[in-house]
Amino acid sequence: MPTEPPPVPGTPVPSTPPDPFGWIDDEARRRERSGLVRALRPRDAGPALLDLASNDYLGLTRHPVTTGAAADAARRWGAGATGSRLVTGSTALHAELERELAAFCGFEAALVLSSGYAANLAALTALTARGSIVVSDAANHASIVDGCRLSRAETVVVPHADPEAVDKTLEARGGSRALAVSDSVFSVDGDAAPLARLAEVCRTRGAALLVDDAHGLGVLGDGGRGAVHAAGLAGDPGTVVTVTLSKSLGSQGGAVLGPARVIDQLVNTARSFIFDTGLAPAAVGAALASLRLLREDPSLAVRAREVAHALHEGLTGAGLSAVRPDAAVVSVRAPSPDAAVRWAADCRAAGLVVGCFRPPSVPDGISRIRLTARADLTDEQVAAALATIVATAPAGALGRAGRGTRTSPSTGVPPRSPGPET
């Protein structure tokens, strides 16, 4: 059998080429050692487990009107949008949703994008530029953080829910073009931003205000019109709002709401709108149907808030440390990251799905399980969820009620620490 000839003396021996992705293995080992490995967990189609982890606040994602509208839209318009919104991706259904969404929330115009993430990128990059200033709450969602980075503006991060810090920052920047940005309801602890005071600061300083109302739409405000509407800022000429269609409206996608000239600016300059395929017609149809259901039955928003408060009262009454909810998110503190993971796993084993937040997703180092209220939960399901959470609570979690629930004198809501939704 032929063999390779021996190397010629003096010639270099070929070495194994370096592995271009070897660093990934190193990072994976570090994550595993730290107990921070994330993994996809495909769920079954059937609602076998009681869900207090999703953002389906109104329980509309499986509503027959919503799913029927999605199917009808796919049959009429096709499975996909077929192109970007400026080419072939805009249908009459997109325009209909934009008109009704803007009218419902009290704004002049709206623009639908493929996700709430894309909506935040669009607003932040189209409304700022190099040389302008963005003032961002320290607890803002990751999509806002990424939008600030892409905007090329100078970004100043201020303490959480602190409009006076926003005011001082804007005052120090003088006449620079400026925009303040904040979530309306923060996704980890569920506390609400002081929007009315933020808007007052922005008007005084000549700055625009951008509010991500992802967790407020469908839950807060008159008939679920959102936290911005509840703060009296609907239609405010200096305020722009982003929303998702994937939470209370049970579909997928995002939108930007505001003055018509702002929407026109996004259509002409926002790269995450111009160069992205339009939202699929099925998602548009579903969101439009859910919006109409909410408009016809405003008690859905009331019920979501009632469930959130019932969860909070039951948890704190049992001795757990839960942050008072301002919308539909209820955060419950765990004694450690490992305890939070075990707690969530034990709840799942008992038939209940809850969220789990731990460092580094929560830079304050406080691990939590996170519950989301739903308008379609019965009193019996709420009681069953509470019983499961209390029965599976790890050592050190019970008997902590009152810790971390102190109301902040400046905002009227419990203080919290920053962290993106995971």
Side-chain angles (χ1 to χ4, degrees):
M1 186 174 187
T3 59
E4 293 184 5
V8 177
T11 60
V13 178
S15 61
T16 302
D19 180 0
F21 294 123
W23 59 272
I24 291 179
D25 299 330
D26 295 335
E27 289 199 358
R29 284 188 287 270
R30 282 195 292 270
R31 282 194 296 271
E32 188 170 4
R33 286 194 300 268
S34 302
L36 297 176
V37 175
R38 291 181 172 90
L40 297 175
R41 190 192 296 269
R43 59 183 174 88
D44 296 329
L49 302 177
L50 181 56
D51 173 22
L52 267 71
S54 75
N55 294 318
D56 185 22
Y57 296 137
L58 304 183
L60 296 180
T61 193
R62 290 179 178 272
H63 194 289
V65 172
T66 301
T67 56
D72 290 345
R75 281 191 289 265
R76 181 177 183 188
W77 299 101
T82 76
S84 70
R85 290 289 309 275
L86 289 171
V87 183
T88 59
S90 288
T91 69
L93 201 60
H94 287 78
E96 195 172 358
L97 174 59
E98 288 165 345
R99 285 194 300 270
E100 294 197 21
L101 189 60
F104 180 76
C105 295
F107 283 88
E108 190 175 7
L111 185 68
V112 167
L113 293 91
S114 61
S115 69
Y117 209 108
N120 274 336
L121 297 186
L124 281 158
T125 56
L127 300 179
T128 61
R130 198 183 302 277
S132 60
I133 304 295
V134 177
V135 185
S136 179
D137 190 291
N140 277 339
H141 188 263
S143 57
I144 295 176
V145 174
D146 289 351
C148 290
R149 291 168 176 166
L150 289 172
S151 72
R152 297 179 295 178
E154 179 188 354
T155 299
V156 179
V157 179
V158 294
H160 173 58
D162 189 346
E164 306 317 314
V166 176
D167 187 34
K168 291 177 182 177
T169 302
L170 292 174
E171 181 183 25
R173 295 313 190 274
S176 301
R177 192 168 112 197
L179 179 146
V181 58
S182 176
D183 284 332
S184 66
V185 176
F186 295 87
S187 61
V188 175
D189 276 348
D191 60 316
L195 295 181
R197 176 59 182 146
L198 281 173
E200 180 184 1
V201 166
C202 288
R203 280 192 292 268
T204 301
R205 301 300 177 189
L209 175 63
L210 174 61
V211 180
D212 180 351
D213 205 16
H215 297 275
L217 177 65
V219 179
L220 299 178
D222 179 24
R225 286 171 170 79
V228 175
H229 191 281
L233 299 175
D236 182 79
T239 300
V240 177
V241 177
T242 57
V243 297
T244 61
L245 312 177
S246 58
K247 294 180 173 60
S248 288
L249 299 187
S251 182
Q252 189 170 353
V256 182
L257 315 174
R261 61 180 177 174
V262 168
I263 301 306
D264 184 66
Q265 169 74 1
L266 266 66
V267 169
N268 283 277
T269 65
R271 293 170 66 86
S272 64
F273 171 79
I274 296 170
F275 297 104
D276 191 20
T277 298
L279 185 62
V284 178
L288 183 57
S290 289
L291 179 64
R292 290 169 176 171
L293 286 170
L294 174 59
R295 190 172 60 209
E296 293 164 6
D297 186 5
S299 70
L300 288 169
V302 176
R303 176 58 181 169
R305 297 195 300 270
E306 288 176 348
V307 170
H309 287 294
L311 288 169
H312 176 257
E313 289 177 6
L315 294 164
T316 55
L320 293 168
S321 177
V323 177
R324 177 179 58 82
D326 285 328
V329 173
V330 183
S331 174
V332 191
R333 291 194 173 189
S336 70
D338 289 342
V341 173
R342 288 196 306 273
W343 198 356
D346 289 344
C347 284
R348 176 178 283 273
L352 173 67
V353 184
V354 300
C356 176
F357 286 75
R358 55 198 168 129
S361 294
V362 281
D364 62 356
I366 298 172
S367 296
R368 306 153 167 86
I369 61 168
R370 174 183 179 268
L371 317 177
T372 50
R374 294 208 327 268
D376 62 333
L377 291 177
T378 65
D379 292 344
E380 292 74 19
Q381 287 174 316
V382 172
L386 287 169
T388 298
I389 294 165
V390 173
T392 57
L398 290 170
R400 295 164 56 89
R403 299 182 186 178
T405 58
R406 177 179 54 83
T407 299
S408 166
S410 62
T411 65
V413 298
R416 64 173 299 283
S417 299
E421 185 180 1
T422 56

